[in-house]
């Protein structure tokens, strides 16, 4: 009886500590989003990979905060679990949406003596929570100020134009169609994703044993294929690069599907 109570108390304490850690990790992301939005700074960087020297304002600001605070450093970035890091672009947009749907932007502008009715323009990316006709940020502001016309981010518009133009070239369109098809087949299935990681591990171990790869901290990490995003400048290159890097492992997964697949789909 005593042992079970002791175990129960231990689990309860561990759960409480984990909640506090998650809360701190999320609070850091919320504060960074709020600061960047208030200053009108871009969130994302051209290369947000862990090896990048400049991961963009959002990640770099979290890194700066961690350098001054041990608690933040111990729970953030590389110390955070992949399923609860609260730093993905989706989380950033969701935090922004919560801010704006609670009219936090209006109260912030008022605190700085900026009148809503003087706004004459808005410019965001193409995310639905920003440009949405009914519930997007631009719609909320237009409801208060009809003259604050929304203009889609010019950088995103240019990217969309390039993507649309490339689709008119048959060979380019076919190449990226096949790329997207292969990536979707592999990463949308947890089983295929596990097979991809296993195939990578075997390939890396073999090459290390044969002296074909160098060993060291941060080298030879197992990764996954990256999707193409029509509004992200470098996503097409990153997607192709990820497939080239994991080409043999991807072929192993596709061969398994061809052999073991029960249907055409």
């Amino acid at each position: 009886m005593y042992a079970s109570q002791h175990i129960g108390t231990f689990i309860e304490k561990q759960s409480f500590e984990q909640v506090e850690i998650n809360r701190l990790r999320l609070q850091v992301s919320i504060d960074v989003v709020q600061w960047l939005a208030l200053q009108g700074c871009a969130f994302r960087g051209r290369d947000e990979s862990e090896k990048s020297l400049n991961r963009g304002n959002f990640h770099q600001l979290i890194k700066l905060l961690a350098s001054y605070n041990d608690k933040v450093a111990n729970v953030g970035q590389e110390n955070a679990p992949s399923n609860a890091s609260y730093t993905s672009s989706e989380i950033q947009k969701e935090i922004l949406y919560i801010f704006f749907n609670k009219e936090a932007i209006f109260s912030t502008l008022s605190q700085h003596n900026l009148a809503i009715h003087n706004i004459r323009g808005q410019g965001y990316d193409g995310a639905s929570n920003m440009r949405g006709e009914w519930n997007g940020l631009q719609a909320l502001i237009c409801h208060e100020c009809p003259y604050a016309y929304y203009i889609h981010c010019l950088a995103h518009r240019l990217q969309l134009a390039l993507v649309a133009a490339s689709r008119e070239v048959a060979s380019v369109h076919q190449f990226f169609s096949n790329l997207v098809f292969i990536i979707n087949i592999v990463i949308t299935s947890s089983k295929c994703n596990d097979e991809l990681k296993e195939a990578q591990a075997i390939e890396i171990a073999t090459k290390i044993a044969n002296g074909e790869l160098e060993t060291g901290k941060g080298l030879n990490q197992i990764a996954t294929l990256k999707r193409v995003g029509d509004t992200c400048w470098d996503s097409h290159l990153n997607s192709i690069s990820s497939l080239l890097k994991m080409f043999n492992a991807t072929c192993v997964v596709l061969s398994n599907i061809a052999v073991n697949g029960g249907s055409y789909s």
Side-chain angles (χ1 to χ4, degrees), residues 4-259:
S4 62
Q5 290 178 345
H6 181 72
I7 293 173
T9 303
F10 176 77
I11 294 175
E12 184 178 351
K13 181 181 178 181
Q14 289 293 100
S15 300
F16 176 78
E17 291 178 351
Q18 189 60 53
V19 169
E20 290 299 307
I21 290 174
N22 290 340
R23 184 172 295 166
L24 174 60
R25 193 179 295 129
L26 178 58
Q27 186 61 54
V28 172
S29 293
I30 291 173
D31 290 342
V32 170
V33 167
Q34 190 172 21
W35 188 90
L36 291 174
L38 179 62
Q39 299 301 323
C41 298
F43 281 53
R44 303 190 64 183
R46 187 186 66 81
D47 181 6
E48 294 190 339
S49 65
E50 294 183 359
K51 297 180 180 179
S52 174
L53 297 178
N54 185 356
R55 299 182 65 190
N57 290 332
F58 179 83
H59 288 284
Q60 292 300 127
L61 190 52
I62 290 181
K63 184 177 180 180
L64 177 64
L65 293 174
S67 68
Y68 285 93
N69 190 306
D70 290 339
K71 288 185 177 180
V72 175
N74 291 333
V75 303
Q77 293 187 319
E78 65 272 6
N79 293 323
S82 59
N83 63 340
S85 62
Y86 305 116
T87 58
S88 68
S89 58
E90 290 77 12
I91 291 294
Q92 296 173 37
K93 291 176 181 178
E94 187 173 345
I95 293 173
L96 270 176
Y97 179 77
I98 292 173
F99 278 149
F100 299 143
N101 196 38
K102 292 179 179 182
E103 301 184 348
I105 189 171
F106 299 144
S107 62
T108 302
L109 290 174
S110 299
Q111 290 172 9
H112 291 79
N113 298 319
L114 298 174
I116 299 295
H117 63 267
N118 288 334
I119 297 178
R120 290 295 179 268
Q122 308 177 67
Y124 316 113
D125 63 18
S128 59
N129 61 337
M130 305 301 285
R131 65 173 174 81
E133 183 177 358
W134 304 108
N135 296 318
L137 172 60
Q138 66 93 11
L140 295 176
I141 292 182
C142 280
H143 179 73
E144 299 291 331
C145 182
Y147 300 104
Y149 297 109
Y150 165 69
I151 300 176
H152 194 165
C153 170
L154 292 179
H156 283 169
R157 291 173 65 184
L158 176 58
Q159 175 73 357
L160 290 172
L162 292 173
V163 171
S166 69
R167 287 172 177 163
E168 297 300 317
V169 182
S171 57
V172 175
H173 175 66
Q174 183 179 13
F175 172 82
F176 281 105
S177 296
N178 291 335
L179 175 68
V180 172
F181 181 67
I182 290 171
I183 292 176
N184 285 341
I185 283 180
V186 175
I187 68 175
T188 54
S189 166
S190 57
K191 178 182 178 181
C192 292
N193 218 2
D194 291 340
E195 289 180 359
L196 178 67
K197 293 179 180 179
E198 183 180 355
Q200 287 181 75
I202 294 174
E203 182 181 6
I204 290 172
T206 302
K207 288 186 176 181
I208 290 176
N210 295 334
E212 299 178 32
L213 288 178
E214 296 182 2
T215 58
K217 185 177 180 180
L219 298 178
N220 309 318
Q221 294 184 354
I222 295 176
T224 188
L225 297 174
K226 297 183 179 180
R227 294 179 183 270
V228 170
D230 288 349
T231 58
C232 197
W233 282 100
D234 58 349
S235 66
H236 293 75
L237 176 59
N238 289 338
S239 184
I240 295 171
S241 299
S242 70
L243 179 59
L244 288 174
K245 183 179 179 180
M246 293 171 266
F247 186 79
N248 292 333
T250 303
C251 287
V252 171
V253 176
L254 294 177
S255 297
N256 291 338
I257 294 174
V259 173

